[in-house]
Amino acid sequence: MMIHQREDHLGLSLSLSFPSETHQPSASSSPLQLNLTPPSMTTPSIPPFNLLHSTSLAKKETSDRSILDACRVETRSFLKGIDVNRLPATTVDMEEEAGVSSPNSTISSVSGKRSLERSETDNRDDLLDCSRGLINSDEEDGDNSRKKLRLSKDQSAVLEDSFKEHNTLNPKQKLALAKRLGLRPRQVEVWFQNRRARTKLKQTEVDCEFLKRCCENLTDENRRLMKEVQELRALKLSPQFYMQMTPPTTLTMCPSCERVSAPPPSSTGPSSTPVETPRSHHSGSSHHRVPFNPWAIVPAGHRSFDAVHH
DNA sequence: CCAATTAGATAGCTTACGTCA
DNA sequence: ACTGACGTAAGCTATCTAATT
């Protein structure tokens, strides 16, 4: 952490910037350039998704689903370490294992609202689709209802695998995938669109959580530095006490430019006159230097100062 | 293709009710 | 008759996700 201090006659102000070695290991060097890649930490309280479904018993499945849902809630705020491209895939799995959901691409229900709004072009498309055996339930009602299918476990797995390889599809890939899965190309296209949206949403959640923690850290740091400023002001307003203080270290600070300098190795003890190092500033000039008390600024073990600047 | 939205499916939770020891 | 435990179904809510705009 770099502390840029400026002092006018009565006031002090601070500005902060992160060096590369900060309290935030995952943060980059720029204060505004944040490494948003989720760290590869795991959340112990969240079991891996693939451990959440281990039985086909409906009763057990219910409890597992409960755990899964609870985990999902937690996962919303602790997504680190989870590949956002990796769908839990347990929902479909468990539903199908328990026979709750319709089997392979079954159209589950019908929404009448949108059915009336569909055009005849869509109707013809659906008829074409039906010829491919993709729509199997509106043979009964014969209308052009909006259908909601749930993809089968295998279909989801294939789509996920394909998404991991490339999250966009060219027309050829789309057709091949649709043919392989027995879906319409439009369905494959929509699935990829929705999948990209989910990925983006989860990444956004991860980023948001990370930025939130960054903000909290900066707030804490700012609060701490403000306190230091107050302590420095108090020291400045009590010169007697200030001058009687024995410098706890050999660091000195130039009051005019606020630079901290360390004495050369030959310096003997705190009472000796501070001598600038060869790298120090104002070489040869007669600067007034006052002892610098890092105790008032740096809590033990918190950070190290750059002793000499310029 | 993306963003926003809709709507179906499903699970969890609560509550009321019935049954039984 | 009263009580507590247990099972079940209905209603509500939250979440996921296919589909639409």
Side-chain angles (χ1 to χ4, degrees):
Chain A
M1 167 71 70
M2 288 274 271
I3 304 175
H4 306 290
Q5 294 185 349
R6 281 201 198 108
E7 181 180 1
D8 51 23
H9 287 295
L10 290 177
L12 289 169
S13 66
L14 293 173
S15 66
L16 305 178
S17 65
F18 275 120
S20 56
E21 68 283 355
T22 67
H23 305 306
Q24 280 284 340
S26 58
S28 62
S29 58
S30 168
L32 294 178
Q33 199 172 15
L34 299 173
N35 178 12
L36 300 178
T37 304
S40 59
M41 58 170 273
T42 57
T43 310
S45 62
I46 303 176
F49 282 115
N50 58 0
L51 295 179
L52 290 177
H53 64 292
S54 57
T55 175
S56 59
L57 296 176
K59 205 70 177 181
K60 179 66 164 58
E61 174 213 331
T62 301
S63 64
D64 283 351
R65 180 62 181 242
S66 169
I67 296 171
L68 177 61
D69 275 8
C71 288
R72 277 180 180 152
V73 172
E74 275 192 79
T75 305
R76 291 191 176 279
S77 52
F78 298 101
L79 270 171
K80 285 101 201 132
I82 298 176
D83 183 2
V84 293
N85 284 343
R86 224 180 112 215
L87 202 65
T90 49
T91 303
V92 173
D93 295 359
M94 292 188 297
E95 285 168 2
E96 295 200 350
E97 284 175 6
V100 175
S101 176
S102 50
N104 192 7
S105 299
T106 300
I107 285 100
S108 308
S109 63
V110 163
S111 168
K113 179 184 173 185
R114 300 206 180 217
S115 64
L116 302 175
E117 300 171 359
R118 298 188 59 180
S119 67
E120 289 208 351
T121 305
D122 292 337
N123 299 346
R124 280 193 292 273
D125 287 345
D126 280 352
L127 288 176
L128 288 173
D129 294 333
C130 287
S131 70
R132 268 182 261 152
L134 305 175
I135 292 178
N136 57 3
S137 73
D138 57 342
E139 297 93 65
E140 290 92 4
D141 49 30
D143 68 0
N144 308 302
S145 311
R146 174 185 182 177
K147 290 97 186 171
K148 170 98 173 184
L149 65 83
R150 283 195 82 86
L151 299 175
S152 71
K153 174 183 177 180
D154 292 339
Q155 286 172 322
S156 295
V158 170
L159 286 167
E160 284 293 334
D161 289 343
S162 180
F163 186 82
K164 282 175 186 171
E165 290 183 18
H166 30 248
N167 63 356
T168 56
L169 290 177
N170 59 38
K172 195 175 179 180
Q173 291 172 322
K174 190 202 303 180
L175 281 174
L177 203 51
K179 188 176 181 181
R180 177 182 173 189
L181 297 173
L183 298 172
R184 281 175 284 157
R186 172 65 179 161
Q187 287 178 296
V188 175
E189 180 181 317
V190 166
W191 187 92
F192 268 74
Q193 283 180 4
N194 286 322
R195 187 67 179 83
R196 283 191 293 270
R198 286 196 294 272
T199 300
K200 185 177 180 181
L201 177 65
K202 289 188 178 182
Q203 188 60 54
T204 300
E205 290 172 353
V206 171
D207 295 350
C208 186
E209 191 64 26
F210 180 81
L211 290 172
K212 187 177 162 189
R213 282 208 300 274
C214 283
C215 183
E216 290 170 355
N217 289 338
L218 287 172
T219 301
D220 291 344
E221 184 73 1
N222 188 50
R223 193 176 298 120
R224 192 177 60 76
L225 290 171
M226 293 295 280
K227 187 180 175 184
E228 291 176 10
V229 167
Q230 286 186 341
E231 290 172 356
L232 287 173
R233 279 177 176 157
L235 282 177
K236 189 180 179 183
L237 292 177
S238 57
Q240 281 187 334
F241 172 76
Y242 190 67
M243 296 307 290
Q244 288 173 357
M245 284 180 60
T246 299
T249 72
T250 57
L251 292 177
T252 59
M253 183 173 71
C254 171
S256 62
C257 64
E258 306 301 325
R259 303 289 182 185
V260 178
S261 62
S266 60
S267 175
T268 58
S271 60
S272 63
T273 303
V275 180
E276 288 175 329
T277 61
R279 290 194 311 151
S280 67
H281 61 293
H282 305 305
S283 57
S285 66
S286 59
H287 265 290
H288 299 91
R289 273 187 232 104
V290 296
F292 177 68
N293 181 9
W295 287 358
I297 294 183
V298 186
H302 268 231
R303 57 186 146 93
S304 60
F305 266 86
D306 274 339
V308 179
H309 304 277
H310 292 296

